[in-house]
Amino acid sequence: MSVMASAIDQPTGQPTRRRGPGRPFQKGVSQSAKFAATREKMEREFIADLEEYGRKVSSADRLLVARYIVLLRSRSHSDTNTALKVRESLITKYCTNQPGMTLEKYAALQAAKDAK
Amino acid sequence: MRPLFTMRAALDDPMLLGDAMKGDSWDAWRTLLIASVGEELTPAERVVFKTFTGRDAEAGKMLDTWLTVAGRRSGKTTAIAALTVYLSCLCDWSDTLNLGERGVALYLAPTVDQASRAFGYARGFIEHSSLMSALVVSRTQTSIELSNGIDIEIAAANWRFVRGATCVCCVLDESAFLRNEAESANRDEDLVHRIEAVVDHDRRSDDPDLVAGNRSWCCL
């Protein structure tokens, strides 16, 4: 018996970890497709939030929103920080300093929002 | 007078007054401001309201007079500036003002310097919001003219010069330092009577709708 084998056979007092039956995810369901659907849902929600103040989000900014969602879901802290900066710039662009927005228009928008 | 926004919504909205009083430490002032314009409080806010006013519930209508007795750095000037900006920018006074008549939100203090300090807060709140700053037609060191027919002005607290304006609200800052000697030519009592006359003239009307007291004045 080798030294390594004897060390493995030693009882540690810990319960042995067993692999459970089946798979961690449902068989036949593409996780990539599920993630893509979640990303699209997040993009739609964020774009709807931006457009709530009356300005249409441009196609270039839609790509930026898609990138923002990918960065936001990343495990990297650096990516998350970048995502937050992208978010801030988009909010600044669409939710503040809107050309043609007056207090009366804004009040009407808010009233319509409250009525919903 | 028709509010364009509720005070609660304005204080929550960063596009309006949301950045004026940020943080939990302003909760008490926020509660008092919401109650001051006649909006309903939540049960939790009512407890705060009772702590500071001794009253069981809010009045449910806009206040006529607000007297604040508070120490230095308690936030009274900031809070009242938020109320002034709300009344002058976020309320529509067109139904109360005649053609050509301009409403005045008046800041008074023993000296113009003191009044201008309080006025600076209101100017800061307006300039911070792109929506409210769009209302500004012109500004000088002592006044802001708004396109909605309201002027925000400062003056030294002298009863002789208060008369004549149509005040939508009047703030009397540092009122504890006004003259109160009987022989004084500018007594605080005279000033208060004059302020009541310029902000309360609607209440002497026979129209019952105007008796509710749409205008207010504050004493700090």
Side-chain angles (χ1 to χ4, degrees):
Chain A
M1 183 193 270
S2 68
V3 177
M4 179 68 83
S6 64
I8 289 169
D9 292 340
Q10 292 280 328
T12 58
Q14 299 273 336
T16 51
R17 194 175 166 194
R18 283 189 182 172
R19 197 175 160 199
R23 301 157 62 89
F25 302 115
Q26 199 183 345
K27 197 173 183 181
V29 177
S30 163
Q31 294 306 303
S32 304
K34 279 180 82 174
F35 290 155
T38 308
R39 279 199 302 272
E40 280 169 20
K41 184 168 175 274
M42 289 174 77
E43 282 171 33
R44 277 198 306 275
E45 285 176 358
F46 188 60
I47 288 171
D49 283 347
L50 291 177
E51 289 184 344
E52 197 177 324
Y53 292 93
R55 266 186 82 184
K56 189 95 180 145
V57 175
S58 68
S59 55
D61 285 335
R62 280 175 189 272
L63 293 174
L64 197 57
V65 170
R67 185 72 189 136
Y68 156 67
I69 298 296
V70 170
L71 289 169
L72 190 67
R73 289 167 60 85
S74 163
R75 286 183 178 180
S76 156
H77 286 193
S78 173
D79 285 353
T80 312
N81 284 336
T82 310
L84 292 176
K85 283 175 191 165
V86 171
R87 176 195 162 88
E88 199 179 326
S89 64
L90 284 167
I91 286 177
T92 307
K93 181 172 178 183
Y94 286 95
C95 303
T96 57
N97 299 324
Q98 297 162 62
M101 177 59 80
T102 63
L103 210 54
E104 284 76 20
K105 277 187 194 171
Y106 187 68
L109 273 172
Q110 293 300 103
K113 196 174 147 191
D114 291 344
K116 277 184 193 174
Chain B
M1 187 273 279
R2 182 177 62 89
L4 298 173
F5 301 87
T6 61
M7 176 63 95
R8 188 183 294 280
L11 289 174
D12 287 341
D13 193 338
M15 299 275 281
L16 302 172
L17 289 168
D19 291 337
M21 297 195 297
K22 270 183 174 176
D24 297 341
S25 62
W26 288 102
D27 280 352
W29 279 115
R30 220 172 281 141
T31 302
L32 293 173
L33 286 173
I34 291 167
S36 73
V37 295
E39 291 170 24
E40 200 176 341
L41 297 176
T42 62
E45 286 171 340
R46 216 161 274 152
V47 174
V48 176
F49 182 77
K50 187 171 183 181
T51 309
F52 286 97
T53 64
R55 298 173 188 213
D56 291 330
E58 66 278 16
K61 62 175 186 177
M62 184 169 283
L63 56 77
D64 299 320
T65 308
W66 178 340
L67 300 170
T68 304
V69 183
R72 285 174 57 79
R73 309 298 302 163
S74 56
K76 53 195 181 302
T77 309
T78 308
I80 296 302
L83 179 62
T84 313
V85 171
Y86 175 80
L87 289 172
S88 50
C89 294
L90 305 180
C91 293
D92 179 10
W93 294 89
S94 55
D95 57 344
T96 339
L97 298 172
N98 290 325
L99 202 60
E101 186 180 21
R102 293 192 66 81
V104 180
L106 191 60
Y107 270 97
L108 299 174
T111 66
V112 174
D113 271 357
Q114 285 170 317
S116 69
R117 257 170 250 143
F119 171 71
Y121 285 88
R123 189 173 49 204
F125 295 164
I126 292 172
E127 283 171 359
H128 180 75
S129 159
S130 57
L131 289 172
M132 291 194 286
S133 60
L135 292 176
V136 177
V137 176
S138 70
R139 57 170 72 87
T140 66
Q141 278 197 318
T142 57
S143 71
I144 297 175
E145 185 185 346
L146 302 174
S147 60
N148 61 358
I150 306 293
D151 297 330
I152 305 175
E153 292 179 359
I154 62 171
N158 188 321
W159 64 268
R160 289 175 184 81
F161 307 135
V162 174
R163 190 183 161 88
T166 306
C167 286
V168 296
C169 72
C170 182
V171 179
L172 186 52
D173 203 4
E174 303 293 356
S175 57
F177 300 98
L178 293 169
R179 297 278 177 192
N180 61 354
E181 298 89 346
E183 67 276 12
S184 171
N186 188 27
R187 282 196 317 145
D188 52 0
E189 267 184 54
D190 296 331
L191 181 67
V192 166
H193 289 319
R194 288 293 171 184
I195 292 173
E196 282 175 343
V198 293
V199 296
D200 286 356
H201 66 261
D202 278 351
R203 239 175 297 162
R204 287 197 290 276
S205 163
D206 293 331
D207 185 350
D209 290 341
L210 294 176
V211 180
N214 278 338
R215 298 169 185 195
S216 56
W217 72 282
C218 314
C219 209
L220 304 179

